[in-house]
Amino acid sequence: MKRTISKLLLTAGIAAVMLSACSKVPEESKYIPKEAGVVLELNAKQISQKLITNGLTMDKLMEAAQSKDTASKITKAWKDAANSGVDLSSNFFMSVVLGDDKNAYVEINGSLTDAAKFEAYLKANLKSYDLKTGKDFKFTYDTESHGLITWNNKAVIYLRHLNTNRLNDIPGYMDKPADEGAEADTAAAAAAVVSPVAAVTTDLPESAAALVTTADHLYHMKENETAGSLEPFKKLLKENADMGFFFNVQAMMNSNAAGMTALPGNFKKLMEGSFATGTANFEKGKILVNTNSYMGKEMLAIFKKYGNKEIDISMLEKYPSDNVTGFISYAFDFHMIGEIIKSTGTDGLVNMMLSQRSGLTMDDLLNAFDGQLVYVASDFQIERKPNPYFDGDTIEKPNAKWIFNMKVANKDAFNKVMSSPMFTGMLVKQGDKYVLASPELAASFPAMSLTEKSVTLGSDSVLLDQYLAGKGQIKLPEGVASKAKGATLAGYLDIAKLAKTIPTEKADEDERPLLIRAQNLFKDMTFSAHKISGDVQTGEIVLNFKDQDKNSLVQLVEFGTEAAKLAQAKKDKRAKQEAADKAAEDSLYGAIPMDSAVTR
């Protein structure tokens, strides 16, 4: 059976993007603690306006997705959610607070328009509904999902203990009951904390006590205890985007969960003041994601010294093809890695291990390579090739042409690395090149060129020679190459070319139209990161759709509606076939004379 609160939140999320209301901007963010490691935001009002502007309402979607039964469970769930007292035009937040294995939790919160309606909804839909009152808030414990539902006159907060070693403790995996270990962990956490609401939790399951204490804290936080007191999070809220995300790197590093205790203390100190934020907006013909990486004082000093290299665009431009599938270019000074290792105090250990195995030092490796890297792929296709396991048989395998190129920075350091014991017996020097010593080994390796100028690998020797000659010229869609110029990281993927290789003719007749539609949904994707400015490095991801005249969210919703319609049709068809099979079986056994059955 579906969990009631999970069903409400899921349905509310769907309904929220379909409804629009004129209300003041809610203050849900004040219930998010500053120690939250990850925060996801959904601006339901802004998203709903984009859909409604394009003529999409929940009623129309339900009508499109279902051929009949307008009073279906889905429609009823939506109507119940719309009348549940939850403000479906508010901002919804999901936060993950790690802490340690005993008190980590997930929080989902939104705004209420009518607390009385919300209580009535819970009473009608939650089997374990048992209203209790804390300090300035009410709550009930859902014994099925092991979650605490709390609310006051303005907000609703759902809390669930997060066992960081179990994925199914994350919302979306709630159908699996918590194990005894999780219950014990939560109970231990409750026993370890003196709860100001202990008087109202004595008759609750022990696993709920810590969550009640957490809820009491969230409802009564001071401003300097909230995520809003962190400048990067405050800036994110001002973006007014369709969706937002926030990563508190410092909080995650300082938690005792997920093995963070094994990290050196100096490394944690290095990450102080580090945050990452991003926004996603659904625009006409594309989804635009903008990112910001904030750095603390110590990391910023390292990054400014080594992290502002620009991509060598010539390494990309000389790729000889007009049928490029994708590329990634990166300008990265490897000395940054050395500086980070040194800051943690583990450089001595690294040097000792390198010396024992290769006779090299960390600086030898870092000095050898320039940190300019590029990988380009083209001519992607699905080919039928001989099956290596069965004579006379063939199999379909993906195939593409490609080049990987990395510049050499210091030829003396490079020669020291290549002639070190690490490559003894594997490589030999011939003139100004290093080649594989064994012809048999060379036959199984990609084509390669190892010189004092660069390390270059390729899918075949012809392409490798053309690339190294530098006489080719890459051809990319308009505007793609410009995103790489001046950037520290850039990439491109032609999704449409990859989609064309999907064999739609092999799909079921019912599924083929949807598969063809999926092939024609996306065009390509680009991403880039820019040089740091102040204490922030900005980035951009753009997912382009083939239809450039329609809002991207509308296209996704329409596609999702068609997929839901197909799923329902397949379900109905399967049920009809099962009923026919059962009728045929009953008819068959009914035709057998009783005495004949007894004789046998």
Side-chain angles (χ1 to χ4, degrees):
M1 179 179 179
K2 295 291 185 182
R3 306 298 186 231
T4 300
I5 188 62
S6 303
K7 187 163 54 180
L8 169 63
L9 292 169
L10 177 61
T11 310
I14 297 172
V17 300
M18 307 314 307
L19 298 176
S20 177
C22 295
S23 61
K24 65 178 182 178
V25 177
E27 301 179 349
E28 302 87 1
S29 61
K30 73 179 184 180
Y31 300 107
I32 302 172
K34 66 189 303 182
E35 61 268 20
V38 181
V39 182
L40 301 178
E41 174 196 11
L42 171 69
N43 188 330
K45 183 177 182 178
Q46 187 160 298
I47 290 177
S48 68
Q49 289 174 339
K50 291 185 176 182
L51 291 174
I52 292 174
T53 299
N54 287 270
L56 288 182
T57 63
M58 179 60 77
D59 289 334
K60 288 185 178 180
L61 286 178
M62 290 298 104
E63 183 180 351
Q66 303 172 54
S67 57
K68 56 183 179 178
D69 190 17
T70 55
S72 67
K73 293 181 179 180
I74 297 177
T75 304
K76 183 179 183 302
W78 167 67
K79 289 181 178 180
D80 287 347
N83 196 42
S84 66
V86 177
D87 185 356
L88 300 180
S89 65
S90 68
N91 287 24
F92 290 86
F93 291 90
M94 185 182 84
S95 310
V96 177
V97 180
L98 292 177
D100 57 44
D101 288 336
K102 293 183 179 181
N103 60 25
Y105 62 91
V106 175
E107 170 192 353
I108 302 175
N109 71 303
S111 288
L112 283 183
T113 57
D114 192 323
K117 282 186 176 181
F118 185 66
E119 291 178 27
Y121 173 87
L122 292 177
K123 187 175 181 179
N125 292 276
L126 193 66
K127 289 183 178 180
S128 60
Y129 180 74
D130 184 15
L131 179 64
K132 295 184 180 296
T133 303
K135 182 181 179 182
D136 304 325
F137 70 97
K138 297 178 181 180
F139 63 92
T140 187
Y141 185 68
D142 182 4
T143 56
E144 291 187 339
S145 72
H146 300 275
L148 189 75
I149 308 166
T150 76
W151 66 96
N152 59 19
N153 289 332
K154 294 182 178 180
V156 53
I157 301 176
Y158 175 78
L159 298 170
R160 189 169 192 264
H161 173 72
L162 175 65
N163 185 329
T164 55
N165 295 318
R166 297 178 67 234
L167 182 63
N168 60 2
D169 275 343
I170 298 175
Y173 294 86
M174 293 180 180
D175 287 344
K176 296 182 179 181
D179 59 19
E180 294 180 0
E183 294 284 334
D185 285 346
T186 310
V193 179
V194 178
S195 171
V197 289
V200 295
T201 63
T202 53
D203 57 341
L204 286 174
E206 290 184 338
S207 57
L211 295 177
V212 175
T213 302
T214 297
D216 185 76
H217 170 67
L218 295 176
Y219 280 108
H220 301 99
M221 286 189 297
K222 298 177 181 178
E223 185 177 353
N224 63 357
E225 296 176 307
T226 68
S229 65
L230 302 171
E231 195 61 28
F233 187 73
K234 190 182 298 183
K235 289 181 179 178
L236 174 65
L237 294 180
K238 293 179 181 179
E239 292 290 333
N240 198 35
D242 296 338
M243 299 178 68
F245 55 88
F246 171 76
F247 294 97
N248 188 337
V249 181
Q250 176 179 308
M252 289 189 284
M253 290 292 175
N254 289 333
S255 72
N256 294 323
M260 292 298 178
T261 52
L263 292 174
N266 288 341
F267 182 73
K268 292 183 179 181
K269 188 174 186 302
L270 183 66
M271 300 306 295
E272 285 183 2
S274 296
F275 305 92
T277 67
T279 59
N281 284 288
F282 299 97
E283 301 181 0
K284 184 181 290 187
K286 65 182 178 182
I287 298 175
L288 177 61
V289 178
N290 290 304
T291 63
N292 293 292
S293 296
Y294 297 85
M295 302 178 194
K297 183 178 179 180
E298 293 191 24
M299 180 59 80
L300 183 63
I302 296 174
F303 205 90
K304 283 189 172 181
K305 186 176 180 180
Y306 298 111
N308 265 347
K309 291 173 68 72
E310 291 185 8
I311 290 171
D312 184 347
I313 197 69
S314 67
M315 297 172 65
L316 172 65
E317 290 178 334
K318 66 181 183 179
Y319 186 84
S321 177
D322 60 357
N323 189 26
V324 174
T325 309
F327 75 83
I328 181 169
S329 296
Y330 196 17
F332 179 76
D333 192 328
F334 291 148
H335 289 92
M336 183 189 296
I337 299 175
E339 198 74 16
I340 293 174
I341 292 175
K342 290 175 183 178
S343 71
T344 64
T346 58
D347 52 313
L349 178 62
V350 171
N351 279 320
M352 181 180 68
M353 293 175 63
L354 280 172
S355 179
Q356 290 176 347
R357 297 185 179 186
S358 64
L360 300 172
T361 67
M362 181 174 64
D363 287 337
D364 289 332
L365 292 174
L366 299 178
N367 290 334
F369 301 102
D370 184 71
Q372 291 281 0
L373 304 93
V374 66
Y375 174 83
V376 192
S378 64
D379 303 281
F380 180 86
Q381 58 184 325
I382 302 296
E383 294 182 341
R384 184 161 288 280
K385 296 185 176 182
N387 190 328
Y389 303 104
F390 299 98
D391 291 338
D393 188 24
T394 60
I395 57 174
E396 290 184 343
K397 294 186 66 176
N399 187 43
K401 295 182 178 181
W402 58 270
I403 287 288
F404 169 79
N405 188 24
M406 178 172 63
K407 274 188 171 182
V408 169
N410 183 291
K411 67 177 184 179
D412 292 333
F414 174 74
N415 285 323
K416 184 176 182 180
V417 171
M418 302 305 284
S419 60
S420 69
M422 184 164 49
F423 294 110
T424 298
M426 181 178 180
L427 297 173
V428 294
K429 192 170 186 182
Q430 293 181 355
D432 62 343
K433 294 182 178 181
Y434 289 89
V435 299
L436 290 168
S438 167
E440 292 80 9
L441 188 61
S444 63
F445 266 65
M448 64 176 62
S449 172
L450 311 177
T451 71
E452 294 176 350
K453 292 183 178 180
S454 67
V455 171
T456 312
L457 307 177
S459 56
D460 60 82
S461 58
V462 174
L463 179 64
L464 181 64
D465 291 342
Q466 290 176 340
Y467 179 80
L468 294 174
K471 296 180 180 179
Q473 181 66 45
I474 197 170
K475 185 177 180 180
L476 295 168
E478 183 179 355
V480 173
S482 63
K483 291 182 180 291
K485 293 180 180 178
T488 61
L489 169 69
Y492 163 76
L493 182 65
D494 192 326
I495 303 174
K497 287 180 181 177
L498 293 174
K500 282 182 180 179
T501 63
I502 299 174
T504 56
E505 68 279 359
K506 295 183 179 181
D508 292 340
E509 186 177 349
D510 295 339
E511 298 178 352
R512 194 173 302 143
L514 185 66
L515 188 57
I516 292 174
R517 184 166 182 173
Q519 281 184 314
N520 294 311
L521 188 62
F522 300 112
K523 180 184 177 184
D524 57 33
M525 180 181 70
T526 62
F527 57 90
S528 59
H530 313 121
K531 292 191 292 186
I532 195 165
S533 176
D535 64 343
V536 184
Q537 183 184 34
T538 60
E540 178 189 78
I541 303 172
V542 182
L543 178 60
N544 290 304
F545 288 62
K546 281 191 174 183
D547 187 345
Q548 292 289 294
D549 297 324
K550 185 182 290 186
N551 183 276
S552 56
L553 180 60
V554 173
Q555 294 187 55
L556 289 175
V557 170
E558 289 179 341
F559 178 79
T561 302
E562 288 299 315
K565 188 174 182 179
L566 175 62
Q568 184 62 43
K570 291 181 68 176
K571 182 179 179 180
D572 293 342
K573 184 178 181 180
R574 185 167 55 250
K576 186 177 181 180
Q577 184 61 50
E578 289 175 354
D581 292 344
K582 186 177 186 305
E585 182 180 335
D586 292 343
S587 176
L588 176 63
Y589 281 107
I592 300 176
M594 186 62 66
D595 56 347
S596 175
V598 171
T599 300
R600 288 190 296 175

